[in-house]
Structures are given as C-alpha cells and as structure tokens.
Amino acid sequence: MDKSERHEKRMKRQKQVVDDSIKQADKDKGLLLVITGNGKGKSSSGFGMVARALGHNMRVGVVQFIKGAFSTGEEAFFRRFPDDVEYHVMGDGFTWDTQNLQQDIASAEAGWQVCKQLLTDPKIDIVLFDELNIVLKMHYLDTENVLADLAKRPAMQHVIITGRGAPQALIDAADTVSKIEDIKHAFRDGIQAQKGIEL
Amino acid sequence: MDKSERHEKRMKRQKQVVDDSIKQADKDKGLLLVITGNGKGKSSSGFGMVARALGHNMRVGVVQFIKGAFSTGEEAFFRRFPDDVEYHVMGDGFTWDTQNLQQDIASAEAGWQVCKQLLTDPKIDIVLFDELNIVLKMHYLDTENVLADLAKRPAMQHVIITGRGAPQALIDAADTVSKIEDIKHAFRDGIQAQKGIEL
C-alpha cells in the first residue's frame, strides 16, 4: 500500500468517526460560551463570532465592560451596523486606571442592567459580554445573580462571555469553555499594542 | 485602612507596573501571530482581528485553507466589503472529506500562491491565513518555505495564522502565540454546530 492509499484509508476512518459523532450531535440550544485564560485572542474571538452571526443575518447585542477608556477598532467597526448590532460600552477603562472601588462596582452594576435587557429580548439572537469575567473575578458583580439571569434567557439565545479569570461556577454552567494560554506575546519583546491586532 | 483604600493602593501599584511596561514597549512591527490548540475560538479570533482592522480602515486579505466546503457566516459577512477585504476560499472541505492526498496537496499549494500575492502587496495591512496550521501539520506545504515567504513580507504587515497543530518552527518564528485549550465543548453533549457560533 503506497502513501496515497494509506492516507485515503486513514482519512476514511477519520471521516467515519467524525460522521458518527456529528450524527449523535443533533440538538439545538442557545449556548453559553466562556472564553478565558491569559493569552491573546479572547475578545477578538467573541467579535469574530459577532461577525459570523451577522453573516447569518442574526441580531447581536454587545456589552463591553472594561475597555470603555479605549477607542478600539471593533467598536468603530461594529457601530457601523446599528440595525443589527446593539453596542454598549460600559466601564471607565481598566480597573487600575480608575483606582476607585465604588465607581467600578457602580459601573459594573449599570452594565449588568444593560445585559439583562438584552437577555430578556427574544429578538436578540446572540450577545457578547466582553470582559465580564474580570468583573466577576473582582467581585464587582455576584456570580450567582449573573448565572440566575443567564438561565432565564430565551432558549435559543447564545451568550459569549470573555475575559481572564472566569469563576468556576460560570465554567460549570457553560456549554463550551475555551482557555487561551499565553505561549508568547510581542509586548514582552518591547512591541506596543498594534492597530488591528490589539486595538 | 478600609477596603476602598486598600483597593486604591493595590490598583495604584498595579497601574505603576502596567505604565512602566507600556513605557518599555514602544516599538512598532508587523506581527506574526499564531493561534493554535484544540479549543474553540481560533478562527473566530482571527476574524475578530479582521473586524478590528476594518474599524481602523486597514486593508485585509483572508485565505481560508480548509473550510471551502462549508458556507460559513464569516465568509458571507466579510464578502460584503470587497473594497476592504480580499477574500479567498481554498481547499475542498476537511481533509477527511476528500480522502485524496494529491488533491489536498495541490489545493494547499494553490492556496499558498494566493497567500504569497498578499504577502508581497504593501497595500495589504493585515492577512489572515485561516487553518494554515493544519495544512503545515499534514505536510501539505513545507514549513521552511512558508517561513521564508513570511520573512520577506512588508515590515508593517501583520499576519495571523490559525488552526490546531502549529509546527514548532512557526511558533519559534512568531511574535505572539496563543494556544486555546478545550475545557469543554457543547458538541460532546450532543449539541450540533450552531449558526453564529461555529458556522
């Protein structure tokens, strides 16, 4: 048997495995998806799914919790589609910029009120709560309350939550969880945040 | 010292650390960014950066290597901006669908010719080679040749390469590398791929 035949045989076997597993996965559900870890790509992954959803003409809600002080490319871009994307920026920059616990908590609570509106709106197909994990990790919001509100959302609504330090209770409640490991980062080589990549 | 004061002090210290590290990171460079691992979010992370770049009015090139057989949301969406996004879909589905080694290699080589055109075009600010890692892992393309072509690109052009199984030589050459770990996936609970999330 030559290389091509071996390849064909191996791939046929793999196709069988994949086909079988696709057959057993036949349910639809509004997913709770958590993207955490210290590596680069958490928010961008969430925004990639926003783009994907728009490609299917779905309606999207975005709430950004921490990056309020930045003017970011994703905000500039997705605000171009106000009929399809409800875009909210909460928060007053990174927490170490404000240095004010009460202000951060008030900002987090105001943010969650906006989230709750999206979570009770059946016209919204998919929501992205960007950097919410950090807010939970800092205990600016109560994770149990957040989980209770998430559980009450429309059955087919997808929720994506990003940020480092996702609490275990959120991971337990989620359908899909990805943890992004920081193998290396250009920043440590003295390269500043680049437009289109980090900004 | 009450909780608020402790918080303020801790955050001031953290701000100092962050400010110092931002000060030392003052270089600009076209980044080589690799997103690998088995978890969900690699391609979507790349597409999120495409959106971010478009928010800065940058010009983008996309080459999708493996997902040619799928009609995906990201393709439907980003093809709406032909003046800003040069979008190419190569490949004939996942490799276990074709089961034909020669066809896969030919398809990979044709794909790389398109990549090389983008890598020699100074008007393209950022390129995404989606699922290229798999192509390299399967040895459909020679990693050393790919690295040589990447090294010759315009100095400020950013390159994002996604897919599981990134070869070590590519990781070594990259500026930023994220590895996405699969903590859990809805698919294993019998939930099929959902529009806006996986499709």
Side-chain angles (χ1 to χ4, degrees):
Chain A
M1 200 160 61
D2 76 358
K3 201 180 166 196
S4 288
E5 288 170 311
R6 277 201 310 276
H7 177 85
E8 190 182 334
K9 206 173 158 193
R10 201 169 59 236
M11 289 297 129
K12 270 199 176 137
R13 217 159 42 221
Q14 190 160 355
K15 179 169 163 52
Q16 194 56 51
V17 171
V18 172
D19 286 352
D20 287 350
S21 68
I22 286 174
K23 217 181 290 169
Q24 69 77 35
D26 57 357
K27 284 180 279 185
D28 286 309
K29 190 193 171 194
L31 298 177
L32 176 57
L33 205 137
V34 173
I35 306 167
T36 192
N38 296 329
K40 194 225 162 351
K42 295 179 290 297
S43 294
S44 33
S45 182
F47 283 103
M49 287 182 249
V50 168
R52 195 170 274 164
L54 293 174
H56 293 293
N57 302 308
M58 297 165 90
R59 268 188 66 85
V60 180
V62 175
V63 182
Q64 287 196 284
F65 269 91
I66 303 285
K67 292 186 177 163
F70 282 11
S71 167
T72 58
E74 65 262 20
E75 184 182 356
F77 183 66
F78 286 110
R79 281 205 192 270
R80 291 178 194 165
F81 316 101
D83 292 343
D84 304 310
V85 184
E86 219 185 282
Y87 205 106
H88 304 272
V89 177
M90 317 302 296
D92 312 278
F94 288 97
T95 47
W96 49 83
D97 275 339
T98 64
Q99 300 161 24
N100 184 324
L101 184 60
Q102 272 70 38
Q103 186 186 322
D104 283 345
I105 289 173
S107 167
E109 281 169 355
W112 190 247
Q113 291 308 312
V114 174
C115 294
K116 278 173 77 169
Q117 280 169 28
L118 295 168
L119 291 171
T120 50
D121 184 347
K123 293 191 302 297
I124 299 284
D125 300 300
I126 180 166
V127 295
L128 167 60
F129 298 155
D130 185 41
E131 306 288 8
L132 176 62
N133 286 336
I134 296 178
V135 173
L136 297 174
K137 180 184 151 76
M138 301 290 279
H139 301 286
Y140 294 165
L141 292 172
D142 181 72
T143 299
E144 290 309 314
N145 287 348
V146 163
L147 288 175
D149 291 331
L150 289 172
K152 281 181 276 182
R153 75 187 192 277
M156 276 311 301
Q157 192 183 65
H158 302 302
V159 177
I160 305 161
I161 298 178
T162 70
R164 47 179 81 189
Q168 189 58 44
L170 179 65
I171 289 173
D172 293 342
D175 299 290
T176 294
V177 179
S178 292
K179 186 173 175 187
I180 305 193
E181 199 186 334
D182 177 7
I183 304 288
K184 60 164 109 166
H185 199 295
F187 189 73
R188 289 194 292 276
D189 278 338
I191 298 162
Q192 62 190 334
Q194 298 292 304
K195 275 185 194 175
I197 302 292
E198 284 95 7
L199 300 180
Chain B
M1 200 160 57
D2 75 359
K3 204 180 163 194
S4 288
E5 287 171 312
R6 278 201 310 277
H7 177 86
E8 189 182 333
K9 205 174 161 191
R10 200 169 61 237
M11 289 296 129
K12 270 198 175 139
R13 218 158 43 220
Q14 191 160 355
K15 179 168 164 52
Q16 193 56 51
V17 171
V18 172
D19 286 351
D20 287 351
S21 68
I22 287 174
K23 217 180 290 169
Q24 68 78 34
D26 57 357
K27 283 179 280 185
D28 286 308
K29 189 192 170 193
L31 298 177
L32 175 56
L33 205 135
V34 173
I35 306 168
T36 192
N38 296 328
K40 193 226 161 350
K42 296 179 289 297
S43 294
S44 34
S45 183
F47 283 102
M49 288 182 248
V50 168
R52 195 170 273 164
L54 293 174
H56 293 292
N57 301 309
M58 296 165 90
R59 268 189 67 84
V60 180
V62 175
V63 182
Q64 286 195 285
F65 270 89
I66 302 286
K67 292 186 177 160
F70 282 9
S71 167
T72 58
E74 65 261 21
E75 185 182 355
F77 183 66
F78 287 110
R79 282 207 191 269
R80 292 178 194 165
F81 316 101
D83 292 345
D84 304 310
V85 183
E86 218 184 282
Y87 205 107
H88 304 272
V89 177
M90 315 303 296
D92 311 278
F94 288 98
T95 48
W96 49 84
D97 274 341
T98 63
Q99 300 161 23
N100 184 322
L101 184 59
Q102 273 71 38
Q103 187 187 323
D104 284 345
I105 290 174
S107 168
E109 281 170 356
W112 190 248
Q113 291 309 311
V114 175
C115 294
K116 278 173 77 168
Q117 279 169 28
L118 295 168
L119 290 171
T120 51
D121 184 348
K123 292 191 304 298
I124 299 285
D125 300 300
I126 181 166
V127 294
L128 168 60
F129 298 155
D130 186 41
E131 306 289 7
L132 176 61
N133 286 336
I134 296 179
V135 173
L136 297 173
K137 179 183 151 75
M138 301 289 281
H139 300 288
Y140 294 164
L141 292 172
D142 181 74
T143 299
E144 290 309 314
N145 287 347
V146 163
L147 288 175
D149 291 331
L150 288 172
K152 281 181 276 181
R153 75 187 192 277
M156 276 311 300
Q157 192 184 65
H158 302 301
V159 178
I160 306 161
I161 298 177
T162 70
R164 47 179 81 190
Q168 189 58 45
L170 179 64
I171 290 174
D172 292 343
D175 298 290
T176 294
V177 179
S178 291
K179 186 174 175 187
I180 305 193
E181 199 186 333
D182 177 5
I183 305 289
K184 61 164 111 165
H185 199 296
F187 189 73
R188 290 195 291 276
D189 278 337
I191 298 162
Q192 62 190 334
Q194 298 292 305
K195 276 186 193 173
I197 302 291
E198 284 95 7
L199 301 179

